[in-house]
Amino acid sequence: DPVWQVRVSAIHALGQVRDRRSIGPLVERMQVEEGRLVADIGVALAELTGRNYGQRKDGWKSFWDTFADRFELPTDAKIAEMKAAKKLQAEAYTPPGTVSYHGIQTPSRRILFVIDVSGSMENEVIERERFEDGDYPSMTRIDIVKTELARTIEGLEDYVEFNVMSFATEVDTWKKKLVKANVLNKSSAKDWVMKLEAIGGSSKEDLARAGLVGAANMEAGKTNTYGVLMAALGAGGQGVRDEEYEVAIDTIFFLSDGRPSTGKFVDTEDILREVLEANELRKIVLHTIAIGEFQKNFMKRLAEKSGGVFVDLGR
C-alpha cells in the first residue's frame, strides 16, 4: 500500500495474530522498507519467532532461508517466558543513518523535533554534574536543549527529512513541512534553533512587578502542551477527522520541562486522551524527553502509549 500508516498497521497486526505464514512476507518486506518501518517489522518478527535480530535485514533473511521449511512458532507462554528472562533483546546493531537524540535512537527518515521555550526553560539545571561534560554555553535548560538539538541536526544524513517546532503559549515552526537534511537546510535549522530564547522567564519578573507585563511577555511564556502536540500530529488542535491521518512525519521527539499551563486542555489526563485519539490512525511514534522538576509520569505514559521511549534528563 502506498500509505505508510496502512503498512505499519498490517505489520503490527501480523505480529499479534501469530501465524507462521506471516514470517516470510514480513522478512521480504523488510528488505525493501526504509526508516522506521524496518524497526517495526523487526519487532513483529520477534513477537512471532522468539528470535530477535532487531533491524538486521541480513540476519532475518539468513534465519528464514535456513529454517523456513521446519520452523515452528513458540507458544505464547514461551514468548512471555523469554521476555521475562530478557532473552528477546535485540542484537546490538545500529543501522547506518540512525538518528540519536538524548540517547534515543531511531531509524526514522521523517522526523519532527519539538522543544519547549516557555519561561521556566530559562532556569538553570540543579543536577549540574549530569551536564558538566556537554560543553554548553551555560547551565540553563534552554542552552542545553538548543546545543544538543543543533548537534543532532548536524549529524543527520541527507536522505533524512526533518522539521523543528518550538512552543510556549504559541507554537512556532521552522518550516511549513519536512525538508531534506542537506547542508543548506541543516545550517539554516541550526541557526534558527540557536536563536531561540525562553519566553517570559524569571529574568523578566522584575518588569512584570513594575507593571510592564507587556514587556515582560509573561503571558506568552506559558506551556501549551496540548496545542503543540496537536500541531505536531498535524491535527491542528481543532479536533481530529479520520480522513486526515495521512501525515508524512512518522517520528516525533517531544522535549518539555513544565506542567501544561495554557491551551484548550491543561489537565494531563485530558491531553493524553486527546493525543492518543488523534494518533490512533496516524501511527506516529512519540519519544518524550523531560528536563526539570515537573512530575514526569505524564511524559513517560505519553511515550509508552505511543510506541516511543521516555528519557529523564534530570532536574
CSV table of all heavy atoms in Angstrom, one decimal, residues 86-111:
chain,number,residue,atom,x,y,z
A,86,LYS,N,14.3,-11.6,29.6
A,86,LYS,CA,15.0,-10.7,28.8
A,86,LYS,C,15.9,-11.3,27.7
A,86,LYS,O,17.0,-10.9,27.4
A,86,LYS,CB,15.9,-9.7,29.7
A,86,LYS,CG,15.1,-8.9,30.6
A,86,LYS,CD,15.9,-7.9,31.4
A,86,LYS,CE,15.0,-7.0,32.3
A,86,LYS,NZ,15.8,-6.0,33.0
A,87,LYS,N,15.4,-12.4,27.2
A,87,LYS,CA,16.1,-13.1,26.1
A,87,LYS,C,15.6,-12.7,24.8
A,87,LYS,O,16.0,-13.2,23.8
A,87,LYS,CB,15.9,-14.7,26.3
A,87,LYS,CG,16.6,-15.2,27.5
A,87,LYS,CD,16.5,-16.7,27.6
A,87,LYS,CE,17.2,-17.3,28.8
A,87,LYS,NZ,17.0,-18.8,28.9
A,88,LEU,N,14.7,-11.7,24.7
A,88,LEU,CA,14.2,-11.2,23.5
A,88,LEU,C,14.8,-9.9,23.1
A,88,LEU,O,14.3,-9.2,22.3
A,88,LEU,CB,12.7,-11.1,23.5
A,88,LEU,CG,11.9,-12.2,22.7
A,88,LEU,CD1,10.4,-12.0,22.8
A,88,LEU,CD2,12.3,-12.2,21.2
A,89,GLN,N,15.9,-9.5,23.8
A,89,GLN,CA,16.5,-8.3,23.5
A,89,GLN,C,17.2,-8.4,22.1
A,89,GLN,O,17.8,-9.4,21.8
A,89,GLN,CB,17.5,-7.9,24.5
A,89,GLN,CG,16.9,-7.6,25.9
A,89,GLN,CD,17.9,-7.2,26.9
A,89,GLN,OE1,19.1,-7.3,26.8
A,89,GLN,NE2,17.4,-6.7,28.0
A,90,ALA,N,17.1,-7.3,21.3
A,90,ALA,CA,17.7,-7.3,20.0
A,90,ALA,C,19.2,-7.3,20.1
A,90,ALA,O,19.8,-6.8,21.0
A,90,ALA,CB,17.2,-6.0,19.2
A,91,GLU,N,19.8,-7.9,19.0
A,91,GLU,CA,21.2,-7.8,18.9
A,91,GLU,C,21.7,-6.4,18.9
A,91,GLU,O,21.0,-5.5,18.3
A,91,GLU,CB,21.7,-8.5,17.6
A,91,GLU,CG,21.5,-10.0,17.6
A,91,GLU,CD,22.1,-10.7,16.4
A,91,GLU,OE1,22.8,-10.0,15.6
A,91,GLU,OE2,21.9,-11.9,16.2
A,92,ALA,N,22.9,-6.1,19.4
A,92,ALA,CA,23.4,-4.7,19.4
A,92,ALA,C,23.8,-4.4,18.0
A,92,ALA,O,24.9,-4.8,17.5
A,92,ALA,CB,24.6,-4.7,20.3
A,93,TYR,N,23.0,-3.7,17.3
A,93,TYR,CA,23.2,-3.3,15.9
A,93,TYR,C,22.6,-2.0,15.6
A,93,TYR,O,21.4,-1.8,15.9
A,93,TYR,CB,22.7,-4.4,14.9
A,93,TYR,CG,22.6,-4.0,13.5
A,93,TYR,CD1,23.8,-3.8,12.8
A,93,TYR,CD2,21.4,-3.7,12.8
A,93,TYR,CE1,23.8,-3.5,11.4
A,93,TYR,CE2,21.4,-3.3,11.5
A,93,TYR,CZ,22.6,-3.2,10.8
A,93,TYR,OH,22.6,-2.8,9.5
A,94,THR,N,23.3,-1.1,15.1
A,94,THR,CA,22.8,0.2,14.7
A,94,THR,C,22.9,0.4,13.2
A,94,THR,O,24.0,0.5,12.7
A,94,THR,CB,23.6,1.4,15.4
A,94,THR,OG1,23.6,1.2,16.8
A,94,THR,CG2,23.0,2.7,15.1
A,95,PRO,N,21.7,0.5,12.5
A,95,PRO,CA,21.7,0.6,11.1
A,95,PRO,C,22.4,1.9,10.7
A,95,PRO,O,22.3,2.9,11.4
A,95,PRO,CB,20.2,0.6,10.7
A,95,PRO,CG,19.5,0.0,11.9
A,95,PRO,CD,20.4,0.4,13.1
A,96,PRO,N,23.0,2.0,9.5
A,96,PRO,CA,23.5,3.3,9.0
A,96,PRO,C,22.4,4.3,9.0
A,96,PRO,O,21.3,4.1,8.6
A,96,PRO,CB,24.0,2.9,7.6
A,96,PRO,CG,24.2,1.4,7.6
A,96,PRO,CD,23.2,0.9,8.6
A,97,GLY,N,22.8,5.6,9.3
A,97,GLY,CA,21.8,6.7,9.3
A,97,GLY,C,20.9,6.8,10.5
A,97,GLY,O,20.0,7.6,10.5
A,98,THR,N,21.1,5.9,11.5
A,98,THR,CA,20.3,6.0,12.7
A,98,THR,C,20.5,7.4,13.4
A,98,THR,O,21.6,7.9,13.5
A,98,THR,CB,20.7,4.9,13.7
A,98,THR,OG1,20.4,3.7,13.2
A,98,THR,CG2,20.0,5.1,15.0
A,99,VAL,N,19.4,8.0,13.7
A,99,VAL,CA,19.4,9.3,14.4
A,99,VAL,C,19.4,9.1,15.9
A,99,VAL,O,18.5,8.3,16.4
A,99,VAL,CB,18.2,10.2,13.9
A,99,VAL,CG1,18.2,11.5,14.7
A,99,VAL,CG2,18.2,10.4,12.4
A,100,SER,N,20.2,9.8,16.6
A,100,SER,CA,20.3,9.7,18.1
A,100,SER,C,20.1,11.1,18.7
A,100,SER,O,20.7,12.1,18.3
A,100,SER,CB,21.6,9.2,18.5
A,100,SER,OG,21.6,9.1,20.0
A,101,TYR,N,19.1,11.2,19.6
A,101,TYR,CA,18.8,12.5,20.3
A,101,TYR,C,18.6,12.2,21.7
A,101,TYR,O,17.7,11.4,22.1
A,101,TYR,CB,17.6,13.1,19.6
A,101,TYR,CG,17.2,14.5,20.2
A,101,TYR,CD1,18.2,15.5,20.3
A,101,TYR,CD2,15.9,14.8,20.6
A,101,TYR,CE1,17.8,16.7,20.8
A,101,TYR,CE2,15.6,16.0,21.1
A,101,TYR,CZ,16.5,17.0,21.2
A,101,TYR,OH,16.2,18.2,21.7
A,102,HIS,N,19.4,12.7,22.6
A,102,HIS,CA,19.4,12.5,24.0
A,102,HIS,C,19.3,11.0,24.4
A,102,HIS,O,18.6,10.5,25.2
A,102,HIS,CB,18.2,13.2,24.7
A,102,HIS,CG,18.3,14.7,24.7
A,102,HIS,ND1,19.3,15.3,25.5
A,102,HIS,CD2,17.7,15.7,24.1
A,102,HIS,CE1,19.2,16.6,25.3
A,102,HIS,NE2,18.2,16.9,24.5
A,103,GLY,N,20.1,10.2,23.6
A,103,GLY,CA,20.2,8.8,23.8
A,103,GLY,C,19.2,7.9,23.2
A,103,GLY,O,19.2,6.7,23.3
A,104,ILE,N,18.2,8.5,22.6
A,104,ILE,CA,17.1,7.8,21.9
A,104,ILE,C,17.5,7.6,20.5
A,104,ILE,O,17.7,8.6,19.8
A,104,ILE,CB,15.7,8.5,22.0
A,104,ILE,CG1,15.4,8.8,23.5
A,104,ILE,CG2,14.6,7.7,21.3
A,104,ILE,CD1,14.1,9.6,23.7
A,105,GLN,N,17.5,6.4,20.0
A,105,GLN,CA,17.9,6.1,18.6
A,105,GLN,C,16.7,5.7,17.8
A,105,GLN,O,15.8,5.0,18.3
A,105,GLN,CB,18.9,5.0,18.6
A,105,GLN,CG,20.2,5.4,19.2
A,105,GLN,CD,21.3,4.3,18.9
A,105,GLN,OE1,21.0,3.2,18.8
A,105,GLN,NE2,22.6,4.8,18.9
A,106,THR,N,16.6,6.2,16.6
A,106,THR,CA,15.6,5.9,15.6
A,106,THR,C,16.1,5.7,14.2
A,106,THR,O,17.0,6.5,13.8
A,106,THR,CB,14.4,6.9,15.6
A,106,THR,OG1,13.4,6.6,14.7
A,106,THR,CG2,15.0,8.3,15.3
A,107,PRO,N,15.6,4.8,13.5
A,107,PRO,CA,16.0,4.7,12.1
A,107,PRO,C,15.1,5.6,11.2
A,107,PRO,O,15.3,5.6,10.0
A,107,PRO,CB,15.7,3.2,11.8
A,107,PRO,CG,14.6,2.8,12.6
A,107,PRO,CD,14.8,3.6,13.9
A,108,SER,N,14.2,6.3,11.8
A,108,SER,CA,13.3,7.1,11.0
A,108,SER,C,14.0,8.1,10.1
A,108,SER,O,15.0,8.6,10.4
A,108,SER,CB,12.4,7.9,11.9
A,108,SER,OG,11.6,8.8,11.2
A,109,ARG,N,13.3,8.3,8.9
A,109,ARG,CA,13.8,9.3,8.0
A,109,ARG,C,12.9,10.5,7.8
A,109,ARG,O,13.0,11.3,6.9
A,109,ARG,CB,14.1,8.6,6.6
A,109,ARG,CG,15.1,7.5,6.7
A,109,ARG,CD,15.4,6.9,5.4
A,109,ARG,NE,16.5,5.9,5.5
A,109,ARG,CZ,17.1,5.3,4.5
A,109,ARG,NH1,16.7,5.7,3.2
A,109,ARG,NH2,18.0,4.4,4.6
A,110,ARG,N,11.8,10.5,8.7
A,110,ARG,CA,10.9,11.6,8.6
A,110,ARG,C,10.5,12.0,10.1
A,110,ARG,O,9.6,11.5,10.7
A,110,ARG,CB,9.6,11.2,7.9
A,110,ARG,CG,9.9,10.8,6.5
A,110,ARG,CD,8.6,10.6,5.7
A,110,ARG,NE,7.7,9.5,6.2
A,110,ARG,CZ,7.9,8.3,5.9
A,110,ARG,NH1,8.8,7.9,5.0
A,110,ARG,NH2,7.1,7.3,6.4
A,111,ILE,N,11.3,13.0,10.6
A,111,ILE,CA,11.4,13.3,12.0
A,111,ILE,C,11.0,14.8,12.2
A,111,ILE,O,11.4,15.7,11.5
A,111,ILE,CB,12.8,13.1,12.5
A,111,ILE,CG1,13.2,11.7,12.3
A,111,ILE,CG2,12.8,13.4,14.0
A,111,ILE,CD1,14.7,11.4,12.6
